[in-house]
Amino acid sequence: MEELRTPFRVTAGRFLRSVRVFMSSEVGGTAKLLTACLVVLFLAINGLNVLNNFVGRNFMTAIADRQIAEFVRQAIFYLLVFAGSTIASVYARFTEERLALTWRDFLTRRAVNLYLTDGAFYRLGVSGGLSYPDQRISEDIRAFTVTTLSFLLMIFSSGLTILSFSGVLLSINPVLFAVAVLYAACGSFLTVWLGRPLIKLNYDQLDKEASFRTGLIQARENAERILLTGSEPRMKSFLAVRIDDLVTNFRNITSVNRNVGFFTTGYNWLIQIIPALIVAPAFFRGDIEFGVITQSAAAFAMLVGAFSLIINQFNSISSFAVVARLSTLSEAIERPKGGAKIQVDETRDDLSYEKLTILSERDGSSLLQELTVAIPPRARVLVTCAREDQGSTLFRATAGVAYPGTGQIFRPTAEGIRFLPQHPYFPPGTLRQLFIPPAASPEISDERIALLLAEFELQRISKIEEFQQEVEWHTVLTQREQCLLMLASACVAKPHVILLERTEAMVGWETLFRIMTRFANDGIACVHIGSAADISSYDAILDFDDSGAWQWNTPHDRGNGSGAKHAN
């Protein structure tokens, strides 16, 4: 897979960049404070571990020598060290979780903002070049922050342990120190060799889980259509294939984990006996105290554990495919738009097109040819097309969707233009949030909103919930009501231009003509891409034929065959 071949330097660079951005962000001060607390706590834990090692030695020696007073004294020291270690460990875990949560919160909000800016979510969905960006933003960022922070802290803790216990072990027996280093090195090599397939398997598992979850979401969102068309068997088969994929891949993961487990379990058991085998002869000769045996066993276990980070954490490391996945997500979002030379200028108050030519993405044929038209203020313009994809392409290109072609589109900024697709969508929110745009005055009363609802035949909506209650509108409203609600909200936003896509099919011609007249009286130019029962209700008609040639005329011109025409 191409994503798995991402060079290590690029992935490391992405990771370091992510850390720098996090530390320099508005939450960077909190992050630095939490990081400093973690360093102090880990230093304290490591110091207490070394102290515990020596207390344990003296404690066992007191038992062997039957020294009751020393035994009691060392037992008290033991309890104090245990208490200190407990407090430091609990607070270290708490601080680590808080730092991971702060990091995840920051990265998730940043990713969502980038994903929903400049049409990146649409571009990624249409291109199909990135699988399951939603899963990467939700699950992968969570795994990345928790796993990364935990792994970095383990590296730091292991480094402190190596520095502290190397001296302890060297003072006891230099041979034992050399055996610890060699044992950990051989174990790490064999663990990597046995477990290397896990990296790709874990990467694939994330996608297979996301594919199955997406299928379940599709079944829920299309429940009525699946029921009416009798598509349950096909949906069952579709989901069964995805279950088979994820189960088969996970079965392979468990097989590799079994092989790795055989080795690592035996590896960890041997740690308990190796120190005694090396140090016990010195005790038999009377060269060392009995407590030194237990001390050497504890120090050996700590040192080998620090050197064996790869062995003990291999499953977590092999799941670190989220770094590559997040790298590709970031690259895909930040990748500049390609494939289109159409320029969109958002510095005008009106809408116009200059030599706009749009080509079909399917076969490269011309959908629109050399369109040069300015939409007059307050005008009601009907756009008719010989081919259905011509109107939808003009609608989406004006909204900023990239298409192959040439020419320029001059339009207002997002606050000055509204788009009403044939099938609108409202995200969950309150009724006031739907009606009042960010730039509008927040003093618009509920009474005015209620009057607009009545004017647009939406009295039922004001009775559904309070105006401040969050509602999932796509489950509450019909398609017709959603169209009317979007049209009503435009009366509050007062854009310079509004584009409608086949709205007559949803609200009816009579209602649409009445609403467009209201828009004209409010100074809003209305471009309706669709059909009309009475063209005399429009100020101008823009007509496209099969080849993409266009003609601009008024209803009067159309009646007598005149008008501005552009043809091949």
Side-chain angles (χ1 to χ4, degrees):
M1 186 178 292
E2 182 64 29
E3 290 175 324
L4 289 178
R5 292 196 289 269
T6 302
F8 173 78
R9 252 185 329 185
V10 175
T11 303
R14 286 279 182 187
F15 168 72
L16 293 175
R17 177 187 172 192
S18 174
V19 173
R20 283 197 301 269
V21 170
F22 174 52
M23 288 298 180
S24 60
S25 67
E26 63 277 6
V27 296
T30 301
K32 291 173 183 176
L33 177 61
L34 291 172
T35 302
C37 290
L38 278 173
V39 171
V40 172
L41 287 169
F42 272 92
L43 287 171
I45 291 171
N46 187 74
L48 288 168
N49 285 337
V50 174
L51 181 60
N52 182 65
N53 184 260
F54 282 95
V55 171
R57 182 195 66 182
N58 297 333
F59 182 76
M60 296 305 296
T61 299
I63 293 175
D65 294 344
R66 296 180 175 84
Q67 297 176 352
I68 297 177
E70 183 65 16
F71 168 78
V72 172
R73 192 162 67 94
Q74 294 301 324
I76 294 172
F77 288 161
Y78 238 149
L79 292 175
L80 292 175
V81 172
F82 285 159
S85 297
T86 300
I87 294 171
S89 297
V90 170
Y91 271 105
R93 181 61 180 170
F94 172 78
T95 307
E96 178 185 342
E97 290 177 346
R98 280 296 178 90
L99 181 57
L101 180 61
T102 302
W103 197 4
R104 180 190 178 186
D105 179 48
F106 169 76
L107 285 180
T108 303
R109 291 179 188 277
R110 186 169 181 269
V112 168
N113 288 337
L114 290 172
Y115 185 61
L116 294 177
T117 299
D118 198 25
F121 63 97
Y122 179 85
R123 188 171 72 252
L124 295 180
V126 171
S127 68
L130 187 74
S131 59
Y132 310 108
D134 54 322
Q135 196 253 8
R136 298 178 191 233
I137 292 175
S138 60
E139 293 298 319
D140 289 357
I141 286 180
R142 178 191 59 79
F144 170 73
T145 52
V146 173
T147 305
T148 300
L149 185 58
S150 178
F151 189 63
L152 290 176
L153 291 176
M154 281 189 289
I155 292 175
F156 178 69
S157 178
S158 296
L160 291 177
T161 301
I162 290 170
L163 289 175
S164 302
F165 282 92
S166 292
V168 174
L169 213 55
L170 282 170
S171 66
I172 297 173
N173 192 319
V175 174
L176 190 59
F177 173 78
V179 169
V181 174
L182 183 62
Y183 187 71
C186 293
S188 298
F189 172 78
L190 290 173
T191 300
V192 172
W193 181 73
L194 290 170
R196 68 189 185 282
L198 281 176
I199 298 175
K200 184 179 185 305
L201 288 171
N202 281 322
Y203 187 103
D204 290 342
Q205 189 68 22
L206 294 172
D207 272 349
K208 295 182 188 301
E209 296 281 358
S211 177
F212 175 61
R213 186 168 58 251
T214 300
L216 292 174
I217 293 172
Q218 290 175 357
R220 184 191 67 194
E221 293 181 343
N222 299 282
E224 182 178 335
R225 277 171 280 188
I226 292 172
L227 178 65
L228 295 176
T229 58
S231 301
E232 294 101 321
R234 290 200 301 274
M235 199 67 199
K236 287 179 182 178
S237 176
F238 172 81
L239 292 174
V241 170
R242 274 143 186 79
I243 294 173
D244 289 341
D245 286 344
L246 69 90
V247 169
T248 299
N249 193 77
F250 195 75
R251 188 177 289 119
N252 292 332
I253 290 175
T254 58
S255 296
V256 177
N257 280 335
R258 177 200 60 204
N259 298 335
V260 174
F262 275 127
F263 172 74
T264 56
T265 302
Y267 174 91
N268 288 325
W269 278 114
L270 281 175
I271 292 175
Q272 301 180 44
I273 194 173
I274 290 175
L277 293 175
I278 296 175
V279 178
F283 173 73
F284 296 148
R285 293 193 303 267
D287 296 337
I288 59 174
E289 301 170 337
F290 176 76
V292 175
I293 297 179
T294 57
Q295 181 188 22
S296 64
F300 184 86
M302 294 289 289
L303 190 61
V304 172
F307 278 124
S308 304
L309 181 62
I310 292 178
I311 299 172
N312 297 329
Q313 301 298 325
F314 189 80
N315 281 334
S316 298
I317 296 171
S318 65
S319 301
F320 216 50
V322 291
V323 176
R325 290 168 60 83
L326 291 176
S327 293
T328 54
L329 172 65
S330 179
E331 290 170 358
I333 291 177
E334 295 173 1
R335 187 179 300 131
K337 301 177 186 177
K341 297 180 181 178
I342 298 173
Q343 299 178 11
V344 180
D345 186 327
E346 299 184 358
T347 61
R348 305 281 184 87
D349 287 339
D350 57 353
L351 174 63
S352 62
Y353 305 94
E354 185 174 325
K355 295 183 178 181
L356 177 64
T357 296
I358 302 180
L359 306 177
S360 170
E361 294 182 306
R362 185 179 64 256
D363 55 17
S365 61
S366 294
L367 295 176
L368 311 177
Q369 290 189 41
E370 295 286 324
L371 175 62
T372 301
V373 163
I375 306 300
R378 300 173 178 267
R380 294 164 296 180
V381 179
L382 173 65
V383 179
T384 60
C385 306
R387 296 163 52 183
E388 185 175 348
D389 56 352
Q390 291 173 317
S392 61
T393 299
L394 178 64
F395 182 87
R396 284 157 179 75
T398 307
V401 177
Y403 284 100
T406 57
Q408 290 181 293
I409 300 175
F410 298 95
R411 46 158 282 189
T413 59
E415 292 76 20
I417 190 169
R418 280 282 182 106
F419 297 89
L420 177 55
Q422 185 175 3
H423 301 287
Y425 171 75
F426 286 106
T430 67
L431 197 57
R432 287 188 65 84
Q433 288 173 335
L434 295 182
F435 267 90
I436 303 175
S441 170
E443 299 177 358
I444 298 174
S445 65
D446 291 347
E447 289 74 17
R448 183 184 173 190
I449 295 177
L451 289 174
L452 278 173
L453 291 174
E455 180 183 347
F456 283 80
E457 307 170 19
L458 294 169
Q459 300 93 327
R460 182 180 76 88
I461 297 178
S462 61
K463 300 175 183 178
I464 294 175
E465 296 285 355
E466 296 295 331
F467 287 177
Q468 300 292 348
Q469 181 72 34
E470 186 171 286
V471 179
E472 293 195 14
W473 296 104
H474 67 284
T475 64
V476 173
L477 304 180
T478 64
Q479 285 287 310
R480 183 176 189 273
E481 288 173 330
Q482 290 184 55
C483 285
L484 290 171
L485 184 57
M486 186 167 281
L487 291 167
S489 67
C491 293
V492 176
K494 293 190 181 302
H496 299 292
V497 185
I498 183 168
L499 273 74
L500 312 176
E501 182 187 31
R502 307 189 185 284
T503 309
E504 79 284 352
M506 289 293 172
V507 303
W509 279 303
E510 183 178 346
T511 300
L512 179 60
F513 292 155
R514 175 174 57 81
I515 293 173
M516 286 194 301
T517 300
R518 189 193 199 288
F519 285 157
N521 293 335
D522 288 344
I524 302 172
C526 185
V527 180
H528 172 216
I529 300 172
S531 59
D534 181 10
I535 62 173
S536 63
S537 300
Y538 293 89
D539 301 307
I541 297 96
L542 176 60
D543 186 37
F544 292 97
D545 64 19
D546 281 325
S547 66
W550 56 274
Q551 185 172 357
W552 173 273
N553 48 41
T554 65
H556 173 73
D557 294 331
R558 195 165 187 174
N560 58 33
S562 60
K565 186 175 182 180
H566 176 90
N568 294 329

